[in-house]
Amino acid sequence: MTGVRGPGADGGATVVTRAIEELTRLGGFFALVPVGPGNPPPGLRSFAELYERPGLLGARIESARQRYGAVEPRVCASVVHLGFAARLVSPSLAAACAGVVLELPPASLFWQDAPDASVSSRIAAPRGVEVDPADAAGVADLLRGPLVEHHLRPLGAAVRSGVKVSERLLWGNAASAVGGAVQMLSRLRPEWADRADAIGTALIGRGPTASLGSVVRPDTAGPHRFFVRRSCCLYYRLPGGGLCGDCALLDPATRLGQWRAAMAERPL
């Protein structure tokens, strides 16, 4: 690809450190906290374990089932999957907008293993390659290895090994995680809106997420982006769940009203 700038004389440490600092400032699902060398702090498990030991995911899904009550296992599986997918996609896309494609070895990426804990992400010895965010297609191609193949694909396989749930639904969740990250970045960092849109659109436009959703810009005079998915995560089946903002089941008038309300809000 033409947009790779290379690691530089310091092996990429400076640009990666800056990108991690940017993720910290963004907070929320974008945050990716470095951990020191050696054994991770108590309560953390690697994503490699998550993919290789289905019982870990099964415990998270069972915890969700107990919290929500009498709900189909596939509904809880989808909710848990979407939470993990968002924690993987958000820092990856934001770092790419900052000019770095992060390496995310599953054995070096960690999550908090506690029944009621959020899926917070930690990383040991963060590394990456500097890229030109303007080369959206090239950046998306670089992201497919560390994000799609090393994480989203084994994550979906691990979920489906324990619960009967549609593979297309899970890839729709992955596309939704990308779209959600684009939407949040367009609000948090409006100067990144165009690059987030372009990289996110290129990322989901090929492979298993192709045709499962699209980024939308209702007002070309503003930075706000939204996402419309073409499948359903089943959240509406939870007690009091309702329809998600990007749900395929929303009628156009309701969706447009939600977009207008969001665009009228003060910047975060």
Side-chain angles (χ1 to χ4, degrees):
M1 70 179 262
T2 59
V4 178
R5 292 173 174 163
D10 61 356
T14 301
V15 294
V16 171
T17 298
R18 290 172 180 166
I20 295 292
E21 291 172 349
E22 184 61 54
L23 298 180
T24 301
R25 284 191 287 270
L26 288 169
F29 277 21
F30 296 103
L32 188 59
V33 182
V35 296
N39 294 328
L44 294 183
R45 289 187 179 274
S46 73
F47 275 80
E49 290 181 275
L50 186 71
Y51 308 148
E52 295 164 4
R53 297 176 55 188
L56 293 177
L57 260 177
R60 299 282 302 195
I61 293 169
E62 175 59 21
S63 175
R65 190 195 65 79
Q66 293 179 2
R67 183 164 66 251
Y68 294 125
V71 179
E72 298 171 80
R74 67 187 182 120
V75 178
C76 294
S78 175
V79 171
V80 169
H81 173 269
L82 187 50
F84 276 107
R87 285 288 182 180
L88 291 164
V89 165
S90 297
S92 297
L93 182 61
C97 289
V100 175
V101 168
L102 293 171
E103 296 177 13
L104 298 173
S108 300
L109 192 65
F110 301 93
W111 57 285
Q112 187 75 36
D113 184 15
D116 298 320
S118 63
V119 190
S120 54
S121 301
R122 308 285 189 270
I123 189 166
R127 293 179 58 86
V129 60
E130 188 176 9
V131 295
D132 179 2
D135 180 13
V139 172
D141 284 342
L142 276 184
L143 279 172
R144 286 192 178 90
L147 178 58
V148 179
E149 298 304 324
H150 296 168
H151 285 284
L152 294 176
R153 192 177 296 279
L155 173 64
V159 170
R160 297 183 73 241
S161 71
V163 179
K164 188 176 181 180
V165 59
S166 164
E167 184 176 15
R168 184 176 186 274
L169 181 153
L170 297 183
W171 282 117
N173 283 355
S176 176
V178 174
V182 172
Q183 179 174 336
M184 286 304 299
L185 286 171
S186 75
R187 295 187 65 195
L188 294 170
R189 294 295 300 269
E191 70 275 21
W192 284 2
D194 289 344
R195 66 181 68 173
D197 183 341
I199 295 171
T201 296
L203 182 61
I204 63 176
R206 286 177 47 198
T209 53
S211 79
L212 293 181
S214 56
V215 176
V216 179
R217 186 182 188 183
D219 180 5
T220 57
H224 294 81
R225 264 63 166 191
F226 301 92
F227 189 73
V228 179
R229 64 182 289 173
R230 297 190 178 93
S231 63
C232 178
C233 70
L234 304 178
Y235 183 76
Y236 77 97
R237 290 178 176 265
L238 295 177
L243 298 180
C244 302
D246 64 357
C247 186
L249 303 178
L250 275 177
D251 66 88
T254 299
R255 178 179 289 116
L256 182 58
Q258 291 179 354
W259 289 349
R260 285 174 173 164
M263 289 187 289
E265 292 177 0
R266 299 182 62 181
L268 295 176

